Amino acid sequence: MPQVARRNGRNGCRADGGLKTWAAAAESNSLTVTGLGGSFQEAYTKNVTKPFADEVGINVSLVPSPGIDKIKAMQLTGNIGIDVYSCTDAEAAFGSKQRFWEKLDPSPFDLNDLAVRPTGDTVPEYFYTEGIGRDPNRFGPEKHPATFGDFYDIKKFSGRRALRKKPNGRQRC
């Protein structure tokens, strides 16, 4: 298996928590990985999943993320249909505390080249930030929401708002 590093991340598969044993996944010559859907998943498939699968010679199937509650049910019933669960840091920590994830062998990773090292059972996959986007045609320079307080001020800034379904990232707003 190729080394997984920051500069050759396409060789790594999306990973936060491993549910099945890696040996079982390797023997089956396939990985079932949770995806985020939409244009993100399309880009991820094209730029990460497909190149990884082609290089390593295994089939990688992306499936919708079932949520941590269904992961718990899979663990309780022993009916695990996912090899790698891509999730938020909060879900990864919860799953780790509940011992949902398999312990990871760090040898496939070039640890000196990773911005954040794997824990005993999770691997940081990607990092992101959330912020406020706006229509520059609707609000001119210096007349737009600049804080989350402004974002929620519907009298000062009327119109629709859009937020992710999951509260992660908005807890500090």
Side-chain angles (χ1 to χ4, degrees):
M1 180 172 206
Q3 290 261 307
V4 180
R6 185 175 56 230
R7 288 188 293 274
N8 70 345
R10 69 181 187 85
N11 292 336
C13 198
R14 140 182 298 209
D16 260 336
L19 294 168
K20 289 184 180 176
T21 64
W22 289 108
E27 286 176 18
S28 71
N29 217 21
S30 68
L31 278 174
T32 302
V33 180
T34 59
L36 298 175
S39 59
F40 180 89
Q41 186 165 317
E42 289 173 19
Y44 196 89
T45 299
K46 178 181 175 184
N47 296 293
V48 178
T49 307
K50 185 169 180 352
F52 172 79
D54 291 346
E55 182 175 326
V56 178
I58 64 171
N59 181 45
V60 178
S61 299
L62 290 173
V63 299
S65 182
I68 197 74
D69 55 334
K70 295 215 170 70
I71 296 298
K72 181 176 182 176
M74 288 180 191
Q75 292 289 346
L76 291 172
T77 63
N79 185 17
I80 301 169
I82 295 171
D83 299 308
V84 180
Y85 181 59
S86 183
C87 57
T88 65
D89 56 345
E91 289 174 317
F94 177 80
S96 184
K97 187 174 183 178
Q98 297 295 314
R99 298 184 182 180
F100 290 169
W101 319 135
E102 174 185 312
K103 293 295 178 197
L104 293 173
D105 171 9
S107 65
F109 300 95
D110 180 357
L111 298 177
N112 294 322
D113 196 37
L114 294 176
V116 178
R117 292 180 178 217
T119 66
D121 59 358
T122 64
V123 178
E125 176 194 2
Y126 57 86
F127 301 91
Y128 62 92
T129 186
E130 292 182 333
I132 300 171
R134 65 179 173 85
D135 180 353
N137 296 323
R138 183 171 173 145
F139 301 106
E142 307 304 321
K143 295 181 178 152
H144 55 78
T147 68
F148 280 102
D150 291 344
F151 178 81
Y152 288 106
D153 187 342
I154 58 174
K155 290 182 180 172
K156 188 174 178 183
F157 300 102
S158 64
R160 297 183 297 170
R161 277 107 171 111
L163 297 170
R164 291 179 59 209
K165 291 179 185 177
K166 294 184 177 183
N168 302 77
R170 290 193 307 274
Q171 297 163 340
R172 294 174 278 289
C173 295

